[in-house]
Amino acid sequence: QRLVEYLNSYDGKTSFPRRTCCNSSRSLYCKECCRLLVPDDVLPDPISLRREVKDTVGNNEITHDTTADNIPRPLRLPFNLHIVLDDRRCSATGLHAVALLNSGEENPKSADDLGSVTLIDVANGDDIPNYDYNSIDPIEQSKTAFLLFPSPGESVPIDSVAHQMETLVVLDCKWTKSSLCRKNANLMKLRKVHLSNTYNTHYWRWHNAGDGCVSTIEAIYYAAMEVSEQKYKQLLSSEDQCTFTLQDHLADQSNLIHLLWLFGHQRAATFQAANRDGKPAPGSAEAKELARALRKQSGEYAWRSERNKEIGKILKEECRRMKELGLKKKH
């Protein structure tokens, strides 16, 4: 319910000027380098604090006391997050987490104590890490890294292993495209987990993968909520002395909703554009029925036409990226 209220609070009327980044005009953030392109003062406090926990005044470095009642806590993930990108960047919502939670530096990294965020871009040749790094015996798999990938008979509810989890690996790919986790040796070693509860998606793109499929950024949010809750319960039952309070836990859980800040803005703009053009709201039953009817038209001509447009966009994007890579090599 809180998520619905949060997303509905975006009316699509708030606009930010487009900026040029990576040789293209962008809105909100750059899909190539994952830089945020909005003023810092419009970001939610938990995001701003996470991106820059320290202020520098002259030569004196002042650290915020985030335990004080009048200072909000920075957004903390209950695990280190690895996003394996195996999709077009324009469709990948996992990039939202990278843009929001990492700093805007040349090689962005986030603080480990806040839950680090790492992007692994398969198309750009990034290697998927070997998650056996904690294991002396190469046959024994890492006990702390898990792959968020629902698989009947293989995956377990994420809350059942939350107390072991240090790293969560998330695939950012299409709902129907899952071959990477069956082909990559390092991913195959990981134990699979799925969300402990079933959620409805608020994503605006139509799909035919069935109910219960959420976008990547939604899955990260729900996973973080479930793991955070279980880790706090474990902390309560532990005999170790800890200064972490219920107030801290509730604040951290409340802050997680801002993972969907970019998602909310994009969703609202998409709904507003559909309304302006006289089209049904994306993701609604009417919009889904319209998409199905489009497929059933004579000879599936209309569907193929739309599909060709989609392929054209993919080829155009790949061509642009190849040109950019060529320019970089020359320089």
Side-chain angles (χ1 to χ4, degrees):
Q1 179 61 30
R2 180 167 181 260
L3 178 57
V4 173
E5 293 175 356
Y6 179 81
L7 292 177
N8 287 343
S9 69
Y10 294 86
D11 56 14
K13 297 178 182 179
T14 303
S15 61
F16 301 101
R18 298 183 70 87
R19 294 175 56 186
T20 299
C21 191
C22 295
N23 300 318
S24 294
S25 175
R26 313 282 187 180
S27 175
L28 292 174
Y29 74 105
C30 178
K31 297 176 178 64
E32 295 299 322
C33 67
C34 294
R35 289 178 183 271
L36 271 182
L37 303 177
V38 298
D40 288 340
D41 58 5
V42 304
L43 295 172
D45 286 340
I47 295 291
S48 297
L49 279 172
R50 179 190 171 95
R51 291 170 59 82
E52 188 175 2
V53 178
K54 294 183 178 180
D55 288 333
T56 303
V57 181
N59 294 324
N60 299 319
E61 200 172 57
I62 303 174
T63 303
H64 294 304
D65 179 12
T66 57
T67 61
D69 292 338
N70 61 333
I71 298 294
R73 291 169 66 82
L75 192 152
R76 285 176 165 84
L77 290 176
F79 42 65
N80 295 321
L81 177 64
H82 285 195
I83 299 173
V84 180
L85 180 62
D86 190 30
D87 196 3
R88 292 181 300 134
R89 284 180 174 256
C90 60
S91 303
T93 61
L95 297 183
H96 295 182
V98 182
L100 286 171
L101 303 187
N102 285 352
S103 67
E105 300 171 356
E106 186 68 23
N107 296 306
K109 291 183 178 179
S110 53
D112 287 338
D113 62 333
L114 300 180
S116 65
V117 181
T118 303
L119 176 65
I120 303 163
D121 188 348
V122 176
N124 274 356
D126 292 347
D127 292 327
I128 297 174
N130 178 8
Y131 293 99
D132 283 343
Y133 54 83
N134 285 332
S135 176
I136 298 176
D137 184 351
I139 299 177
E140 183 183 356
Q141 298 179 11
S142 172
K143 295 294 190 296
T144 61
F146 296 84
L147 175 65
L148 182 60
F149 193 84
S151 181
E154 290 186 83
S155 60
V156 299
I158 195 169
D159 60 7
S160 67
V161 294
H163 62 289
Q164 305 174 41
M165 185 175 295
E166 292 182 7
T167 301
L168 182 66
V169 183
V170 179
L171 294 185
D172 200 334
C173 61
K174 291 182 174 61
W175 281 291
T176 55
K177 184 179 180 182
S178 59
S179 61
L180 185 63
C181 71
R182 296 194 301 268
K183 293 180 179 178
N184 183 273
N186 290 334
L187 290 180
M188 289 173 63
K189 297 174 184 177
L190 294 177
R191 288 180 288 171
K192 297 183 178 67
V193 295
H194 58 260
L195 297 176
S196 303
N197 300 299
T198 301
Y199 304 96
N200 293 322
T201 186
H202 298 280
Y203 198 28
W204 51 91
R205 294 184 184 275
W206 181 83
H207 68 88
N208 59 356
D211 296 331
C213 292
V214 297
S215 65
T216 303
I217 192 63
E218 288 174 298
I220 292 170
Y221 164 70
Y222 289 127
M225 287 290 288
E226 293 185 3
V227 172
S228 173
E229 182 65 26
Q230 291 303 314
K231 285 193 172 184
Y232 179 66
K233 289 179 179 178
Q234 182 196 16
L235 198 62
L236 288 179
S237 62
S238 172
E239 296 180 356
D240 296 335
Q241 188 174 5
C242 182
T243 58
F244 191 75
T245 66
L246 173 61
Q247 185 178 358
D248 294 334
H249 167 65
L250 294 177
D252 285 349
Q253 282 220 317
S254 178
N255 288 344
L256 288 173
I257 203 165
H258 297 299
L259 284 167
L260 297 159
W261 191 81
L262 288 172
F263 184 89
H265 277 293
Q266 288 188 334
R267 179 176 179 271
T270 303
F271 274 61
Q272 187 183 49
N275 182 60
R276 183 181 61 243
D277 297 339
K279 297 179 180 179
S284 65
E286 186 180 357
K288 291 177 182 178
E289 188 58 36
L290 186 63
R292 293 188 188 99
L294 189 63
R295 281 195 171 197
K296 294 178 181 178
Q297 284 189 12
S298 176
E300 292 193 345
Y301 173 78
W303 166 252
R304 290 179 182 178
S305 176
E306 291 297 320
R307 179 59 179 165
N308 287 340
K309 289 180 183 178
E310 189 73 11
I311 293 173
K313 290 180 182 178
I314 296 173
L315 293 175
K316 186 176 180 180
E317 184 178 344
E318 288 298 318
C319 182
R320 180 183 60 77
R321 292 185 68 182
M322 291 300 293
K323 287 182 179 179
E324 290 178 1
L325 287 173
L327 287 173
K328 289 179 181 179
K329 288 180 180 179
K330 288 181 180 179
H331 292 292

